[in-house]
């Protein structure tokens, strides 16, 4: 199995047709990612905006998934094509870039990898940044059978107690001690806390596959796994981490807590997962 990760040295040595996507985004800082991109990005990288390109105007949760055909058309206009290896990166350990990694696989594009350590790893390897405007000649990105899985709120509610649900948010949000964005604090009944920060080492890179496998096997001995977070973005990082670990593909709840809490579903607070 080809690793979903790529390091800076391997990326700089690639000779095949490669397209880079800068997916930097900051909660509560509108336009912050775009400004950071213009201050310096990997040479040839195209800015892909979480709010404009990777979310629909309306739908379940704060970052609803666009229709697959709409997403494919958007990426095609930005110059991403079927025949390219797409490398995605951010400056948050892959927390945001993993959303694009997941969405590309959702339309059947398997030639996508996440830059391990992001822009910081690129700079640490002595590589340069650019402020040039990249070529954005439109290409064709075809919608093919999905390589991922997802579940909606109603289906998840009907399956509580029959699968493992992992909450990728910070522990204090899981416990319901704070909730800076959504209308209710706490977590989905039966969900276990699995913050995405546990996937990274001290340098901001993904932990080795053996460590990730041990980490997730403690949480999920067997069976189907559903991932959620605040709005369906960082949950993809847990899916990525399980993929690196060689474990079965987890299912994404795209609406996540922003959808669940807005619809007045049952909420649990504290350290315990709660019962159905």
């Amino acid at each position: 199995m080809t690793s979903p990760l790529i390091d800076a040295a391997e990326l700089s040595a690639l000779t095949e047709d490669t397209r880079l996507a800068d997916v930097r985004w900051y909660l509560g800082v509108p336009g912050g990612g775009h400004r950071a991109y213009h201050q310096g990005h990997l040479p040839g990288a195209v800015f892909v905006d979480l709010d404009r390109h990777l979310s629909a105007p309306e739908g379940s949760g704060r970052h609803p998934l666009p229709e697959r055909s709409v997403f494919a058309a958007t990426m095609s206009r930005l110059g991403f094509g079927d025949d390219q290896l797409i490398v995605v990166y951010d400056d948050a350990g892959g927390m945001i870039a993993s959303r694009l990694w997941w969405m590309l696989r959702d339309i059947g594009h398997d030639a996508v990898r996440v830059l391990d350590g992001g822009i910081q790893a690129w700079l640490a390897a002595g590589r340069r940044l650019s402020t040039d405007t990249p070529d954005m000649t439109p290409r064709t990105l075809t919608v093919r059978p999905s390589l991922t899985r997802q579940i909606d709120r109603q289906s998840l509610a009907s399956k509580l107690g029959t699968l493992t649900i992992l909450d990728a948010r910070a522990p204090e949000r899981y416990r319901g001690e704070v909730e800076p964005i959504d209308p209710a604090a706490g977590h989905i009944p039966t969900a276990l806390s699995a913050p995405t920060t546990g996937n990274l080492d001290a340098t901001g890179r993904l932990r080795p596959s053996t460590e990730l496998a041990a980490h997730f096997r403690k949480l999920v001995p067997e069976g189907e796994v559903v991932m959620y977070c605040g709005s369906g973005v960082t949950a993809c990082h847990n899916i990525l981490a399980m993929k690196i670990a060689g474990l079965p593909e987890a299912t994404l709840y795209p609406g996540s807590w922003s959808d669940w809490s807005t619809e007045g579903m049952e909420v649990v607070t504290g350290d315990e997962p709660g019962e159905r």
Side-chain angles (χ1 to χ4, degrees):
M1 180 189 78
T2 301
S3 172
L5 296 179
I6 188 170
D7 63 26
E10 186 180 0
L11 175 58
S12 63
L14 284 178
T15 57
E16 62 186 292
D17 193 356
T18 305
R19 189 68 158 168
L20 277 65
D22 185 314
V23 204
R24 282 178 283 177
W25 179 87
Y26 311 108
L27 180 65
V29 187
H34 202 203
R35 289 192 293 274
Y37 170 82
H38 282 296
Q39 291 168 3
H41 50 265
L42 270 65
V46 174
F47 182 70
V48 180
D49 188 86
L50 171 62
D51 295 312
R52 291 191 301 122
H53 302 136
L54 306 184
S55 303
E58 297 180 347
S60 299
R62 283 183 280 108
H63 288 114
L65 288 174
E67 292 291 332
R68 297 166 74 235
S69 60
V70 171
F71 167 64
T74 296
M75 296 301 290
S76 297
R77 287 195 300 272
L78 293 175
F80 295 87
D82 290 335
D83 55 346
Q84 294 173 315
L85 169 65
I86 301 175
V87 175
V88 301
Y89 73 88
D90 57 28
D91 57 1
M95 301 287 183
I96 311 302
S98 57
R99 162 82 167 213
L100 179 51
W101 169 82
W102 186 93
M103 290 178 66
L104 286 165
R105 295 181 65 253
D106 190 50
I107 62 167
H109 189 85
D110 195 33
V112 54
R113 300 171 77 180
V114 177
L115 177 59
D116 195 15
I119 196 169
Q120 298 95 325
W122 180 260
L123 292 171
R127 309 298 175 183
R128 69 178 182 88
L129 298 181
S130 171
T131 56
D132 293 344
T133 300
D135 174 28
M136 294 176 63
T137 302
R139 306 278 285 255
T140 298
L141 194 61
T142 306
V143 176
R144 296 187 172 91
S146 177
L147 302 170
T148 65
R149 292 196 290 270
Q150 59 180 283
I151 190 170
D152 60 23
R153 174 179 13 91
Q154 294 89 343
S155 298
L156 179 58
S158 71
K159 292 184 176 182
L160 292 182
T162 67
L163 41 69
T164 300
I165 306 174
L166 298 184
D167 185 322
R169 298 173 301 160
E172 58 271 22
R173 289 186 70 190
Y174 170 85
R175 293 190 296 264
E177 296 168 357
V178 297
E179 182 44 64
I181 305 171
D182 296 313
H187 58 265
I188 296 174
T190 74
L192 302 172
S193 180
T196 50
T197 50
N199 300 329
L200 301 174
D201 65 18
T203 70
R205 291 175 170 82
L206 273 292
R207 291 163 59 189
S209 59
T210 52
E211 291 184 13
L212 290 172
H215 169 65
F216 283 104
R217 285 194 179 111
K218 287 180 181 178
L219 294 168
V220 189
E222 59 183 8
E224 183 180 358
V225 182
V226 172
M227 298 291 186
Y228 81 95
C229 56
S231 63
V233 177
T234 60
C236 296
H237 198 268
N238 272 354
I239 297 175
L240 171 68
M242 287 190 70
K243 191 79 173 174
I244 294 166
L247 300 174
E249 181 98 5
T251 299
L252 176 67
Y253 171 25
S256 285
W257 187 247
S258 56
D259 174 53
W260 188 272
S261 60
T262 299
E263 296 301 320
M265 305 295 286
E266 183 181 355
V267 170
V268 175
T269 57
D271 286 315
E272 296 301 317
E275 299 180 357
R276 177 180 174 181

